[in-house]
Amino acid sequence: MIVVNGGSSSGKSGIVRCLQEVLPGAWMAFGVDSFVEALPAKLQGSEGGITFAADDGVSVGAQFRALEAAWTEGIAAMARAGAGIIVDDVFLGGAASRQRWEKTLAGLTVLWVGVRCDAEVAAGREIARGNRVKGMAASQALVVHEGLSYDVEVDTTHTESLECAHVIAAHVTGAPSRPE
């Protein structure tokens, strides 16, 4: 199991797609964005669900947390059944977010990956994507890493997704981080 954490527009999704290509075997990928998209419309923009504030903040309520717990338990169950799993997440709560995953993933072998990106570069990617709340990338660039340590960290500010994937894959396979 690999859990990838980084701010919005840091390059996590690209790295995850590359990891699926470079890792041996078949690895399934699940991302927090897909989880949020799967929520019923009535929970998007509601007190019990998830809201994206004009000040770049994200708030989640009790119904969101309950569904998130079910989602993480489902992902853990697939890993326990033998599937290779990569999770793309944004730890808005820093260490508390990771602790929720650690509790759910207890007993599994997990590689914790931090994806860093300069806030200004991430903000530029956010604008280019056009489907993100403006300002979120810059506001999340550092906060998602507060109080956390990782098994491996990559920085996408000047490094392409494939190269980052090779660095991460080397920690999974024990192979050199660059292809020969």
Side-chain angles (χ1 to χ4, degrees), residues 6 24 27 32-34 51 56 61 63 66 97 101 130 138 155 157 162 175 178:
W27 289 73
V32 70
D33 288 346
S34 297
T51 58
D56 314 325
Q63 289 177 305
S97 296
W101 272 110
D155 189 323
T157 303
L162 183 58
R178 292 185 164 249

Side-chain angles (χ1 to χ4, degrees), residues 137-155:
S139 70
Q140 293 177 1
L142 297 176
V143 72
V144 300
H145 300 292
E146 286 179 3
L148 296 173
S149 62
Y150 300 99
D151 297 314
V152 61
E153 290 188 48
V154 293
D155 189 323

Side-chain angles (χ1 to χ4, degrees), residues 120-147:
E120 195 169 300
V121 171
R125 292 176 185 167
E126 175 182 78
I127 292 168
R129 289 175 78 171
N131 65 347
R132 294 284 188 246
V133 175
K134 188 174 187 231
M136 198 178 293
S139 70
Q140 293 177 1
L142 297 176
V143 72
V144 300
H145 300 292
E146 286 179 3

Side-chain angles (χ1 to χ4, degrees), residues 85-164:
I85 305 288
I86 308 168
V87 172
D88 166 352
D89 207 341
V90 181
F91 291 173
L92 293 175
S97 296
R98 177 167 164 169
Q99 288 167 354
R100 282 192 296 278
W101 272 110
E102 287 173 333
K103 181 179 176 187
T104 303
L105 302 177
L108 292 169
T109 301
V110 180
L111 182 72
W112 298 96
V113 178
V115 176
R116 296 184 182 272
C117 182
D118 179 78
E120 195 169 300
V121 171
R125 292 176 185 167
E126 175 182 78
I127 292 168
R129 289 175 78 171
N131 65 347
R132 294 284 188 246
V133 175
K134 188 174 187 231
M136 198 178 293
S139 70
Q140 293 177 1
L142 297 176
V143 72
V144 300
H145 300 292
E146 286 179 3
L148 296 173
S149 62
Y150 300 99
D151 297 314
V152 61
E153 290 188 48
V154 293
D155 189 323
T156 64
T157 303
H158 303 292
T159 307
E160 292 297 321
S161 296
L162 183 58
E163 187 173 340
C164 292

